[in-house]
Amino acid sequence: MSLPVIPLLTIELLIALVTAHLLADFVFQTTYMVLNKQRPWIMLMHGAHAFALTALFSGGAMLLSLGIALSHIAIDTIKIKFAPDTLRTYLVDQGAHLLILFLAVVWLPAWVIDPWWPPLSTDMIQIALVLSGFISATMAGGVAVGHLMSRYKSDAQPEGLEHAGRMIGLMERGLIFLMVMIGEPSGIGFLIAAKSILRFDTVARDQKMSEYVIIGTLASFGWALAASFATIATMRALGY
């Protein structure tokens, strides 16, 4: 199956830019930066990360990288100043960033990109796709699930080690991504069973906690599955 509407090199560049964006937003952006991004120097540091990673993955297209970094800063500034910190805001924010990347590779004149963008090997594109999918499934999913569950934390959040829930979520979504990518999605059933057994004594005594764990688990698993199958579908569509 092929994608005849958009040239393959354009799709490859878009994949590279999306990978750079995900690295900037979820790997190089620390929790401290997220909590203090209203400070100008923190926002500029985040923009510098977006610029450097975009320049790296685009092969040194400085004008393209500068434009994307400035748009990234603008979108984040608008979100911080005018939008509540909710799941909807998070999804709209990420959608806006991805839309900018798509418009950049589709509408920008060739002289901005072509002299710089090096056609990548099939292996490199596959690595970028898998890396993007992994970050989307694990770190991006963690933020989304965290926003979804924030309304229930005060009433039913289980007590435990600090940040343990976040780490467990990252590991379970990472395992789901791995199982789907290697063609063994049946292993997810064992993961669900193991988590149910380990959580049984904790949630059996409290209905609110039980419902909290069920909602969080289904949301986490669902996000990871969606990211995993989207990654596989994209690779198949491109013939990889």
Side-chain angles (χ1 to χ4, degrees), residues 5-25:
V5 176
I6 304 176
L8 180 59
L9 287 181
T10 300
I11 297 173
E12 290 181 350
L13 175 58
L14 179 60
I15 292 169
L17 295 182
V18 169
T19 305
H21 163 72
L22 292 173
L23 286 169
D25 249 15

Side-chain angles (χ1 to χ4, degrees), residues 26 87 90-91 94 133-145 148 173 176-177 216-230:
F26 298 104
L87 176 60
Y90 169 69
L91 295 177
Q94 290 301 313
F134 181 77
I135 295 173
S136 299
T138 55
M139 297 178 178
V143 179
V145 174
L148 177 66
R173 288 188 297 274
I176 289 171
F177 183 82
T217 298
L218 291 177
S220 181
F221 278 51
W223 182 285
L225 286 170
S228 303
F229 285 114

Side-chain angles (χ1 to χ4, degrees), residues 45 67 69 91 109 166 174 180 192 204 209 214 221 231:
M45 182 185 299
L91 295 177
R166 180 187 301 178
V180 173
I192 295 175
M209 188 179 297
I214 290 172
F221 278 51
T231 301

Side-chain angles (χ1 to χ4, degrees), residues 8-240:
L8 180 59
L9 287 181
T10 300
I11 297 173
E12 290 181 350
L13 175 58
L14 179 60
I15 292 169
L17 295 182
V18 169
T19 305
H21 163 72
L22 292 173
L23 286 169
D25 249 15
F26 298 104
V27 177
F28 287 87
Q29 184 174 210
T30 64
T31 301
Y32 176 82
M33 292 174 66
V34 173
L35 296 177
N36 295 276
K37 214 189 307 187
Q38 71 277 8
R39 301 181 182 180
W41 71 273
I42 295 290
M43 181 65 78
L44 289 175
M45 182 185 299
H46 182 52
H49 289 164
F51 171 80
L53 288 164
T54 303
L56 176 64
F57 278 78
S58 65
M62 296 303 177
L63 288 177
L64 173 66
S65 304
L66 179 61
I68 289 175
L70 291 176
S71 71
H72 198 116
I73 291 174
I75 292 170
D76 282 6
T77 300
I78 292 171
K79 180 187 70 173
I80 291 171
K81 289 185 176 295
F82 302 107
D85 190 21
T86 63
L87 176 60
R88 179 180 298 178
T89 300
Y90 169 69
L91 295 177
V92 171
D93 169 69
Q94 290 301 313
H97 288 308
L98 297 177
L99 178 61
I100 291 295
L101 300 182
F102 176 79
L103 294 178
V105 299
V106 171
W107 283 356
L108 281 179
W111 62 266
V112 177
I113 300 171
D114 285 352
W116 302 98
W117 171 242
L120 297 182
S121 67
T122 299
D123 290 340
M124 291 299 296
I125 290 299
Q126 290 188 66
I127 291 172
L129 275 172
V130 172
L131 180 59
S132 294
F134 181 77
I135 295 173
S136 299
T138 55
M139 297 178 178
V143 179
V145 174
H147 280 303
L148 177 66
M149 302 305 296
S150 61
R151 69 180 71 179
Y152 309 116
K153 283 185 177 181
S154 60
D155 295 329
Q157 185 177 26
E159 295 183 1
L161 297 174
E162 186 178 6
H163 305 308
R166 180 187 301 178
M167 184 61 65
I168 291 170
L170 285 172
M171 289 190 292
E172 72 184 17
R173 288 188 297 274
L175 287 172
I176 289 171
F177 183 82
L178 175 62
M179 291 174 187
V180 173
M181 294 302 294
I182 65 175
E184 294 292 341
S186 59
I188 297 171
F190 293 100
L191 186 61
I192 295 175
K195 186 172 183 179
S196 300
I197 293 171
L198 293 172
R199 286 282 195 180
F200 179 78
D201 288 340
T202 304
V203 301
R205 300 187 299 269
D206 189 328
Q207 182 177 351
K208 287 185 177 181
M209 188 179 297
S210 175
E211 292 172 349
Y212 179 91
V213 172
I214 290 172
I215 294 172
T217 298
L218 291 177
S220 181
F221 278 51
W223 182 285
L225 286 170
S228 303
F229 285 114
T231 301
I232 288 180
T234 303
M235 295 177 71
R236 289 177 178 173
L238 294 175
Y240 297 142

